[in-house]
Amino acid sequence: MWKRKGDWLECMIPRFWSGLTIEQLLKEVWAASKKLAHRWRMEQGVKLNGQAVSWRTELKERDRLQLYAYEPEPSFLIPEYRELSVLWEDDHLLVLNKEAGLDVHPSKPGQTGTLANAVAFYLQSQGILTKVRHIHRLDRDTSGAILFAKHPLAGATLDRLLARRAIKRTYVALVHGHLSPTSGTISAPIGRDRHHPTRRRVSKTGAVAVTHYRVLKTLPSTSLVELSLDTGRTHQIRVHLAHLGHPLVGDVLYGGQPSFHRHALHAVKLTFRHPFTNEEVVCLAPTSDFPVDLSPLARE
C-alpha cells in the first residue's frame, strides 16, 4: 500500500479512504499541522496520480497519492553511531528497545551519547534527513519500548494518538513490599519538589496524573507489578508507587533500596493501531537486565 520513492512517499488509496478529499485525509485522519499543510501547499508537496491538484479533490480507490514526507530539516543533533535494538520499523515509524542508563535526547547543545543521536545516525543511513521525533519519553534508567516518527506527518498523527490514549504503554516494575489491594488506580496530582531540582512529588496543586496497576507476582519482600498510564507526567510511576509506600527497587531518589544498580522499571509492551496502514502493532521489549525473570509476560 505504501512505497517510499526518495524523499516522497506514495500510497495507493484503499476503499475505506475513498470519497474523502485530500485535505480531509491530511488534516482529519492524519492530523497534519497547519505549518506542514501550508508548506506542502506552497511547494506542491502533495500530488495525486503524479499531478498537482486541488486539495478539495475527492479520492478514489486505487488513486496514487504522493507526499513529500522526507523534506530535509535543520537539526542541531550530532549523528552518532550506536547499535540499536529495533523492535518494529517501516517507512513511517521506528520502535526501539532502549537500554537503561541512556538519555532519550540531549539536554544541552552539542551533547552526544543519547538515543536521539543514535537515531539521527540511523535515519541518515537510510537517506532520511528529517528531525528526530520521539513520541514519548523514558527516564534515563528506565529500559524498554520507545516510539519514534520518521517524518513530520507521522509525528503529528502519533502525537494525536498519544493525546487520545490510543497508544497503550505497559510497564513492569519490581517494588518493595506487598501491595494491597493487588490491583487498582492511583489518581494523585504530581508537581515539582521545591527542595530538590529533579525530584517530583504528589501535590494538590500539581498536574493530573493517573496510573493503573496490578500485581503479577508476590515475592518474599518485593512485588512484580504491571502498570499502565492515562497521563505521562515526569517520574509518574516512580512518584505514585513511592506515594503508596512501595518505591521501586533501586530507586534511591524516591526511597528505594540500592539493591539493584538502577530503578527496576521496564517499558515491556507498546500497542497501537498504525495510523497509515490501520494494522494493529504490538511490540514486546525483552530485557536481560532485570532482577526478576520477565519472559512469562510475553505469553500473556
Side-chain angles (χ1 to χ4, degrees):
M1 184 168 133
W2 285 93
K3 185 182 297 184
R4 182 183 167 198
K5 296 185 175 181
D7 288 341
W8 290 74
L9 272 173
E10 181 176 285
C11 166
M12 184 171 288
I13 297 299
R15 182 177 302 170
F16 53 83
W17 288 335
S18 180
L20 294 176
T21 66
I22 294 174
E23 188 165 35
Q24 285 175 323
L25 183 61
L26 290 174
K27 294 184 177 181
E28 297 175 19
V29 177
W30 291 334
S33 67
K34 290 182 179 179
K35 183 178 178 180
L36 178 62
H38 177 73
R39 190 165 70 244
W40 276 355
R41 280 185 188 275
M42 295 298 100
E43 300 175 2
Q44 296 186 351
V46 180
K47 296 181 180 179
L48 190 64
N49 300 316
Q51 302 295 321
V53 297
S54 167
W55 281 25
R56 294 180 181 177
T57 303
E58 284 195 4
L59 298 166
K60 300 181 180 64
E61 187 177 0
R62 303 189 67 80
D63 273 346
R64 291 180 297 108
L65 182 68
Q66 292 94 22
L67 306 173
Y68 186 34
Y70 302 105
E71 179 182 4
E73 298 173 293
S75 174
F76 297 103
L77 277 175
I78 300 172
E80 182 180 42
Y81 174 77
R82 185 187 195 96
E83 189 172 346
L84 297 176
S85 175
V86 178
L87 299 176
W88 196 90
E89 180 181 16
D90 67 359
D91 287 328
H92 309 277
L93 319 174
L94 176 66
V95 183
L96 300 176
N97 186 10
K98 185 184 92 66
E99 62 190 271
L102 184 64
D103 287 320
V104 170
H105 57 83
S107 57
K108 58 185 178 182
Q111 182 181 345
T112 58
T114 75
L115 185 60
N117 296 107
V119 171
F121 184 97
Y122 184 79
L123 294 180
Q124 286 192 18
S125 71
Q126 298 179 351
I128 298 174
L129 303 179
T130 60
K131 292 179 181 178
V132 173
R133 290 176 167 85
H134 56 271
I135 304 305
H136 58 101
R137 293 184 176 91
L138 296 176
D139 291 343
R140 175 184 175 85
D141 285 333
T142 300
S143 54
I146 183 167
L147 176 62
F148 289 83
K150 287 189 172 184
H151 55 77
L153 185 60
T157 305
L158 291 170
D159 283 343
R160 185 169 71 175
L161 289 180
L162 188 69
R164 291 178 173 178
R165 302 173 187 170
I167 299 176
K168 183 179 180 183
R169 295 167 288 164
T170 305
Y171 297 79
V172 287
L174 188 68
V175 305
H176 291 289
H178 300 152
L179 280 76
S180 180
T182 55
S183 64
T185 296
I186 310 165
S187 181
I190 292 175
R192 290 184 176 274
D193 188 330
R194 292 176 295 172
H195 306 291
H196 195 283
T198 59
R199 193 165 52 205
R200 302 296 193 272
R201 66 184 182 90
V202 169
S203 167
K204 291 181 180 179
T205 59
V208 173
V210 180
T211 304
H212 307 284
Y213 75 89
R214 69 182 179 107
V215 175
L216 299 174
K217 188 175 184 180
T218 299
L219 301 166
S221 61
T222 58
S223 301
L224 183 65
V225 184
E226 179 186 87
L227 305 116
S228 62
L229 308 179
D230 280 358
T231 52
R233 309 304 174 199
T234 300
H235 298 179
Q236 179 172 320
I237 289 173
R238 300 164 64 189
V239 172
H240 273 171
L241 288 171
H243 179 66
L244 289 187
H246 300 282
L248 273 62
V249 171
D251 192 0
V252 294
L253 183 63
Y254 290 102
Q257 295 300 311
S259 50
F260 187 46
H261 65 90
R262 64 174 176 97
H263 59 245
L265 182 63
H266 179 65
V268 70
K269 186 162 65 172
L270 191 65
T271 307
F272 58 94
R273 187 157 295 280
H274 196 297
F276 298 99
T277 67
N278 207 38
E279 64 182 317
E280 186 180 33
V281 179
V282 179
C283 296
L284 295 172
T287 181
S288 57
D289 176 24
F290 209 78
V292 178
D293 179 22
L294 299 181
S295 57
L297 291 175
R299 297 193 291 271
E300 285 202 351

